[in-house]
Amino acid sequence: AQKITQTQPGMFVQEKEAVTLDCTYDTSDQSYGLFWYKQPSSGEMIFLIYQGSYDEQNATEGRYSLNFQKARKSANLVISASQLGDSAMYFCAMRELPNTGNQFYFGTGTSLTVIP
Amino acid sequence: KAGVTQTPRYLIKTRGQQVTLSCSPISGHRSVSWYQQTPGQGLQFLFEYFSETQRNKGNFPGRFSGRQFSNSRSEMNVSTLELGDSALYLCASSLLRTPSTDTQYFGPGTRLTVL
């Protein structure tokens, strides 16, 4: 089974509008972390936002917020006031804490295009 | 503080050759992970090193290997290259002071093309 599922291969949003990118995850661990990364065409993965499994409040970082619904195992990224520079691939990731190390699981990504 | 650096940025090799990629983590970061990214398979975890020890390994053949030095710099090696090894190889480092909240920071990647 996939650990991270991103069901939107591509999304379009009008500049200055808000957009939600979906992410669901699968884990039986109680302690885990959820992350979102942005990957522009240059290839570098840029960290955006983090949510811990025990965090009661949704994480926010500037225009990014994470809509965390633990019971539904979803961690959707909300980008407010979209900008042209937000056009990129977005990846949801999860880190469990196996005894043997530190491993991240990534989704297949969502390609976001911001339209002027 | 300097970010994660990877060298070289681009590499072209032919089938059967071997290649070594290098990664320098953020200063103070002791955990280094490697990922392979391809259009077909997405991001796949290769392995993770911490304090010069491989702690975790993904599902890749033995042709893929790595190591970490005492200064936390890491190298990965791919021997007997195949066409399917063409990919973007990403390195990420973590501080791992508080594993439950720790973030991986990625380098710009090495784009390997196998002809």
Side-chain angles (χ1 to χ4, degrees):
Chain A
Q2 292 291 327
K3 290 278 190 179
I4 296 287
T5 302
Q6 294 180 255
T7 57
Q8 306 156 314
M11 291 280 287
F12 292 86
V13 63
Q14 205 75 36
E15 193 178 6
K16 300 180 185 177
E17 297 288 312
V19 63
T20 298
L21 306 184
D22 295 342
C23 172
T24 57
Y25 59 93
D26 180 27
T27 182
S28 55
D29 288 0
Q30 296 301 310
S31 178
Y32 51 89
L34 297 160
F35 303 79
W36 277 91
Y37 287 87
K38 171 185 177 181
Q39 188 179 41
S41 56
S42 61
E44 183 168 358
M45 298 281 282
I46 302 167
F47 166 70
L48 295 177
I49 196 166
Y50 162 84
Q51 178 85 43
S53 58
Y54 292 115
D55 294 341
E56 294 185 353
Q57 305 237 1
N58 287 339
T60 60
E61 288 285 349
R63 294 186 299 111
Y64 305 108
S65 60
L66 202 152
N67 184 0
F68 181 46
Q69 298 187 47
K70 194 170 182 177
R72 294 186 178 185
K73 293 189 175 179
S74 76
N76 299 338
L77 176 71
V78 180
I79 305 174
S80 63
S82 296
Q83 302 172 355
L84 295 178
D86 293 335
S87 293
M89 283 291 291
Y90 289 81
F91 291 91
C92 179
M94 176 176 66
R95 194 252 317 284
E96 296 173 326
L97 294 172
N99 294 330
T100 54
N102 175 33
Q103 179 173 348
F104 276 50
Y105 300 94
F106 284 85
T108 52
T110 295
S111 175
L112 177 66
T113 302
V114 180
I115 304 166
Chain B
K1 186 183 274 191
V4 179
T5 58
Q6 292 186 246
T7 56
R9 293 292 311 278
Y10 301 91
L11 207 49
I12 299 176
K13 293 284 187 179
T14 56
R15 278 181 298 173
Q17 287 187 308
Q18 76 159 11
V19 66
T20 299
L21 311 181
S22 181
C23 171
S24 292
I26 293 172
S27 178
H29 285 197
R30 295 165 62 192
S31 168
V32 174
S33 298
W34 289 89
Y35 295 86
Q36 181 196 65
Q37 186 178 27
T38 60
Q41 299 296 320
L43 269 159
Q44 294 187 284
F45 172 76
L46 279 157
F47 27 65
E48 183 225 358
Y49 285 87
F50 181 78
S51 293
E52 301 178 66
T53 301
Q54 186 183 92
R55 298 199 303 175
N56 214 0
K57 190 176 192 303
N59 189 24
F60 278 82
R63 300 186 297 107
F64 291 81
S65 63
R67 59 178 176 168
Q68 186 180 34
F69 302 95
S70 59
N71 61 359
S72 293
R73 188 177 70 86
S74 177
E75 289 181 346
M76 69 161 281
N77 184 277
V78 188
S79 62
T80 319
L81 284 166
E82 301 177 358
L83 295 179
D85 297 334
S86 294
L88 179 67
Y89 290 87
L90 291 162
C91 168
S93 75
S94 299
L95 184 59
L96 278 191
R97 183 168 50 194
T98 51
S100 63
T101 63
D102 212 44
T103 297
Q104 285 192 342
Y105 295 93
F106 284 80
T110 294
R111 191 167 295 279
L112 172 65
T113 302
V114 182
L115 303 177

